[in-house]
Amino acid sequence: MIKGLRIGTGYDVHAFAPDRDLILGGVIVPYDLGLDGHSDADVLAHALTDALLGAARIEGAQDIGQLFPDTDMQFKNADSIELLRVATQRVIDAGYQIVDADCILVAQAPKLSPYREKMRENLADALSVDVSMIGLKATTTEGLGFAGRKEGIAAHATVLLCMS
């Protein structure tokens, strides 16, 4: 039996909204709509934060909503990369090391491939790991579902931790 390994999965969805920047992985992606949310609505950073916190299972910080509640005005329009950085420090302080992270963005539009490497760099920086430890893919839904109808964007993330 392998001891000290933990895996976490995160998922987030935000609807498109006018008059907001579209921020994904800490990158402002040029598009006519942003995402609706209490913070900057960065679905990628949110999914990764949930995966990280879910793997660590720290009392009082088991998911993004518990650590950064949307009822708290200090997180209104917060930079989600900074929230990810705070969550990362909590995980490191709890005795874990980040081994790997893998993420998927689900969006019919806009095209995200031109921004992929900068997103990976931003996520790696927030997690204090080498960029080679961050996987990131983007996919469409072939026109199916809310993402396919261009109503919003979803993100999935998986994180592997080990005891330091």
Side-chain angles (χ1 to χ4, degrees), residues 1 4 20-21 28 62 68-72 75 77-79 85-87 100 129 131 133-134 136 138 156-157 161:
M1 175 163 146
R20 291 198 64 156
D21 286 332
I28 297 176
Q62 295 197 19
F68 309 111
D70 63 6
T71 55
D72 190 331
F75 304 120
N77 297 317
D79 180 338
R85 196 177 313 280
V86 169
D100 196 60
V129 299
V131 71
M133 297 167 77
I134 306 295
L136 177 59
H156 300 263
L161 303 179

Side-chain angles (χ1 to χ4, degrees), residues 9-14 37-72 74-75 78-88 90-91 123 155 157:
T9 303
Y11 175 74
D12 196 35
V13 175
H14 285 276
H38 184 69
S39 67
D40 63 7
D42 184 336
V43 296
L44 180 54
H46 292 180
L48 188 52
T49 301
D50 259 351
L52 185 66
L53 294 171
R57 299 177 200 118
I58 301 166
E59 185 66 34
Q62 295 197 19
D63 63 43
I64 193 170
Q66 190 175 34
L67 189 55
F68 309 111
D70 63 6
T71 55
D72 190 331
Q74 73 175 321
F75 304 120
D79 180 338
S80 295
I81 291 293
E82 289 307 312
L83 301 180
L84 177 58
R85 196 177 313 280
V86 169
T88 297
R90 293 282 295 266
V91 168
L123 298 173

Side-chain angles (χ1 to χ4, degrees), residues 116-136:
R116 179 178 174 266
E117 291 311 309
K118 183 61 179 162
M119 289 179 202
R120 289 180 66 225
E121 290 169 12
N122 289 346
L123 298 173
D125 184 62
L127 294 176
S128 298
V129 299
D130 188 81
V131 71
S132 66
M133 297 167 77
I134 306 295
L136 177 59

Side-chain angles (χ1 to χ4, degrees), residues 20-44:
R20 291 198 64 156
D21 286 332
L22 176 57
I23 302 171
L24 298 169
V27 175
I28 297 176
V29 176
Y31 194 58
D32 57 339
L33 297 169
L35 293 172
D36 191 26
H38 184 69
S39 67
D40 63 7
D42 184 336
V43 296
L44 180 54

